[in-house]
Amino acid sequence: MKRPGSTLSLEAKLTYAGNPLTPPAVLDILTMDEDWVVRRRLASHPGLSQSAFLILSRDPHPEVRMELALNPALPVGIGTALAKDREFLVRVALARNRNLPPELARSLAADPSPAVREALASREPLDGVLATHLAKDASFSVRLRLIKNPTAPVESVLFVLGSMDELQVIEAMEAVKPLPYLVQKELAAKGSPFLRAYLAKAPWVDRDVWEVLREDPDPFVAEQARQNPIYRSP
């Protein structure tokens, strides 16, 4: 017995699956289509019914579930189920969903896969509560993603930098340069001598921050500022 929609060409089914004007009844039929590429296209449709979301969330093909996890219209209940998906790439996709409720995003912060937590740390705008949690993450790559995020709260960025050893700080600051101005100001005022010295000599440091560091009470920090290749006097 042929599955629903099997008499249509693949091109026609893909067209129906991607057309925002396709009736919900037709979309429901396509959830059972034998071609997974059709179901993947369908998974991004904004007009899926609750039952269609449920069927696709249980699809045997992970790429279908990944596409569904990215759907901005994803119901909270389906998102909660996908947060427990056996395939970590599905959970990564869910973490990237721009309409993911804050509570669900925060629950993913405990995910065992660093890739999922990295995706969370890259969300824009980054939720403050989530940022506070991720700033304490055991994975350096997760904390690095947080520092790179231009919407990360300054306090979280400072916490991450303050918790790193000197080599990690160098790696992090090189990866995200230039640091946001507000982060630079806070580092100049509250950072460790090592952080202030590194910032003082950075060629991308803002001039007014550099001027503060040039008068730093720590002689080493002040000397590093005077050696800055951009601002030092000829």
Side-chain angles (χ1 to χ4, degrees):
M1 181 177 179
K2 291 187 176 181
R3 303 181 76 176
S6 60
T7 57
L8 297 174
S9 68
L10 177 60
E11 182 180 2
K13 290 186 290 186
L14 288 171
T15 298
Y16 278 121
N19 190 334
L21 299 180
T22 299
V26 176
L27 299 178
D28 287 347
I29 291 174
L30 290 176
T31 61
M32 297 178 284
D33 194 86
E34 59 191 5
D35 291 302
W36 72 268
V37 291
V38 173
R39 304 196 307 273
R40 180 180 64 182
R41 173 74 64 85
L42 181 68
S44 64
H45 199 285
L48 294 176
S49 65
Q50 182 73 24
S51 61
F53 270 113
L54 181 60
I55 292 171
L56 293 173
S57 72
R58 298 170 178 173
D59 195 280
H61 205 291
E63 289 201 30
V64 175
R65 305 197 306 276
M66 287 167 60
E67 196 65 37
L68 189 73
L70 289 168
N71 192 318
L74 187 71
V76 175
I78 301 299
T80 301
L82 291 175
K84 302 173 184 176
D85 197 279
R86 63 185 180 277
E87 174 56 60
F88 83 94
L89 288 175
V90 173
R91 306 195 306 273
V92 168
L94 183 65
R96 292 175 176 164
N97 188 314
R98 65 176 185 270
N99 286 347
L100 196 67
E103 296 78 11
L104 186 50
R106 293 167 192 167
S107 72
L108 285 172
D111 194 278
S113 171
V116 175
R117 306 195 307 275
E118 287 172 14
L120 287 175
S122 299
R123 290 180 63 83
E124 295 184 26
L126 186 60
D127 174 70
V129 175
L130 179 60
T132 299
H133 189 93
L134 293 173
K136 303 173 184 177
D137 198 278
S139 170
F140 176 72
S141 62
V142 172
R143 288 177 283 143
L144 189 58
R145 289 293 182 93
L146 185 147
I147 295 174
K148 287 182 177 181
N149 191 325
T151 66
V154 174
E155 297 77 11
S156 296
V157 174
L158 292 176
F159 180 88
V160 171
L161 290 173
S163 65
M164 291 178 173
D165 61 41
E166 294 184 356
L167 291 178
Q168 288 179 329
V169 168
I170 292 174
E171 182 179 347
M173 294 180 79
E174 284 297 312
V176 301
K177 62 184 180 184
L179 288 174
Y181 175 72
L182 290 177
V183 175
Q184 292 184 39
K185 282 191 67 176
E186 288 296 308
L187 279 179
K190 303 175 183 177
S192 67
F194 174 79
L195 282 173
R196 301 200 311 275
Y198 190 87
L199 181 62
K201 200 172 181 179
W204 42 261
V205 65
D206 280 75
R207 186 177 186 91
D208 61 335
V209 174
W210 171 80
E211 288 176 347
V212 170
L213 293 169
R214 185 179 57 177
E215 305 300 327
D216 196 277
D218 188 303
F220 179 70
V221 175
E223 177 60 25
Q224 292 303 299
R226 287 191 286 270
Q227 294 298 318
N228 190 296
I230 302 299
Y231 299 123
R232 69 183 177 186
S233 301

